[in-house]
Amino acid sequence: MQEEVSPFRDRPEISNSDALKILETSKIEIIGRMAWSSNSTYLVNILDGETDLQGIYKPSTGERPLWDFPSGLYRREIVSFQVAQLIGWDIIPPTVETYGPFGIGSLQLFIPCDFDVHYFHMIEDPEHHGTLQKICLFDFIANSTDRKGGHCLLGNGGRIWGIDNGLTFHVDFKLRTVIWDWAGEEIPEKLIADIGNLLESPAGNDLLAFLSPQELDAMCSRATLLLKNGRFPEDPTGTRFPWPII
């Protein structure tokens, strides 16, 4: 019986800045479609000639129309990375705009990991709580409507990443997430200071390349609310969960 060969490759750690340069300047080669994705999502080789990087390519042409989000969800993948960087949190893999085999879309650095490990495993380890708290607060700021347990990856290098950030930044409050473990608790001072970086950064206006003025204003209002309350978001209704939760 022939042994099954995985299409996923491990790789050495790479800095965000180096990854961005490679993603922005390299062509891509499609390996195959990612299973269980509602929109067209492809594993690709990054053809830079020097590294062994892979990426996740989400073309605009492969998006299913939604009644409550405009087309171009790939832009929200990109701006999610940019917002996390403005806050100072390396919780979303480097993500850029690209023009691939199926047209314009997002290209995100692929994170080698064990896909069977998800949020409900990670929360059991206190060493992961700091990063998971950042993802929790990011989801409130970004108004994430789909933070499933499987959208938190534990990379082979031991770092946690939040992926699948296309359903974000809606003007209307639509938060749906599995991360409620710190609901109502005080936000650590360091994380409060980080959120302040987002509101004070002059680079925030650059987000208008991907968000409408109304969406940007709503994001700033949510960040301001966190600073004012100083506590992790609460859900007294118990209904703000995605489905399925994994």
Side-chain angles (χ1 to χ4, degrees), residues 177-199:
T177 176
V178 298
I179 308 179
W180 295 104
D181 298 84
W182 298 279
E185 296 184 14
E186 288 190 13
I187 301 172
E189 291 185 5
K190 175 61 171 67
L191 301 186
I192 288 286
D194 291 342
I195 295 169
N197 293 337
L198 173 65
L199 297 175

Side-chain angles (χ1 to χ4, degrees), residues 192 223-231:
I192 288 286
T224 300
L225 184 61
L226 285 179
L227 295 181
K228 180 180 178 181
N229 291 342
R231 294 183 179 276

Side-chain angles (χ1 to χ4, degrees), residues 53-126:
L53 298 183
Q54 293 179 303
I56 298 296
Y57 167 50
K58 295 185 176 183
S60 179
T61 54
E63 296 174 1
R64 294 191 306 169
L66 299 175
W67 68 269
D68 56 343
F69 277 87
S71 61
L73 297 180
Y74 77 90
R75 297 188 183 95
R76 297 169 193 270
E77 297 275 2
I78 299 166
V79 78
S80 291
F81 168 72
Q82 294 179 345
V83 166
Q85 290 297 295
L86 289 174
I87 298 173
W89 295 343
D90 282 336
I91 56 175
I92 296 176
T95 312
V96 302
E97 188 173 70
T98 192
Y99 197 90
F102 298 123
I104 197 166
S106 62
L107 176 61
Q108 185 173 91
L109 182 69
F110 172 71
I111 303 299
C113 66
D114 181 348
F115 288 106
D116 290 329
V117 176
H118 51 67
Y119 173 79
F120 297 103
H121 299 117
M122 300 172 200
I123 192 62
E124 297 298 323
D125 187 345

Side-chain angles (χ1 to χ4, degrees), residues 143-162:
N143 199 13
S144 174
T145 73
D146 195 36
R147 179 63 68 201
K148 297 180 174 69
H151 293 172
C152 293
L153 300 183
L154 179 60
N156 290 346
R159 294 177 59 182
I160 294 175
W161 303 89

